[in-house]
Structure formats: C-alpha cells, structure tokens
Amino acid sequence: MSFKMAAPSRTQVLSLYRALLRESAGFSAYNYRTYAIRRIRDAFKENRGVSDVQEMQKLVNKAKENLEVIKRQVAIGHLYSSEKLIIERQEKDAP
C-alpha cells in the first residue's frame, strides 16, 4: 500500500524555525545559546532547496525532536545557572 504524504507547508516550517530560535534564546549559557541559534539558521539555509516530500517530512520531524531536546536542555540549564560572561554584560549594557 502506497500513499502520498503532503509536504509541510511554508507556514509550518517557518513556525517551527521561529520556535527553535525562540527556545534557543532561552539558554542561560552564552556559548550554548549562540551555537544553537547559529546551527539552526545554518541547517535551515542548507536545506532550503529540498523539494522531495519525504525528505522534507523527515527534516521537519527531526527539527521537532530537536525542539523538544532544546526545551529540556534550557530547563536544565536554568537549574544550574552560572555567572554571566563579560561579553554578555557588555551586550546588555550597550545602548
């Protein structure tokens, strides 16, 4: 039995992208936060041209799994907060 899957809509993908960025901004550690945001942007740019429906669905599913991982890691990170780095203090104080 074979059936066609519907491709994820542009709106769904953009919503997932924004959710990943929003959750990643919650990392209390500067290095984790900047790495996660950079990695998300790079991954979405890298896969921008994917047109195969199955491949798209696989990528969306993987992104959803990663979103859940990020949510858990952010929650854990808040339990073990550390002192802000100098670069973070400067960013906050800048006008």
Side-chain angles (χ1 to χ4, degrees), residues 4-5 21 24 26 36 38-39 56 64 66 68 77 81-82 88-90 92:
K4 285 195 165 202
M5 294 183 351
L21 289 176
S24 294
R38 185 177 62 247
R39 185 65 192 103
M56 281 177 153
K64 286 178 181 178
N66 287 335
E68 294 305 314
S81 296
S82 61
E88 292 177 287
R89 292 183 196 143
Q90 291 172 347
K92 191 174 184 179

Side-chain angles (χ1 to χ4, degrees), residues 19-29 32-33 36-37 70-71 73-75 77-78 81 84:
L20 284 160
L21 289 176
R22 188 173 36 253
E23 284 298 322
S24 294
F27 277 115
S28 57
Y32 289 126
R33 184 172 55 249
I37 291 170
I70 290 170
K71 285 179 180 181
Q73 290 301 118
V74 166
H78 287 294
S81 296
K84 297 282 185 197

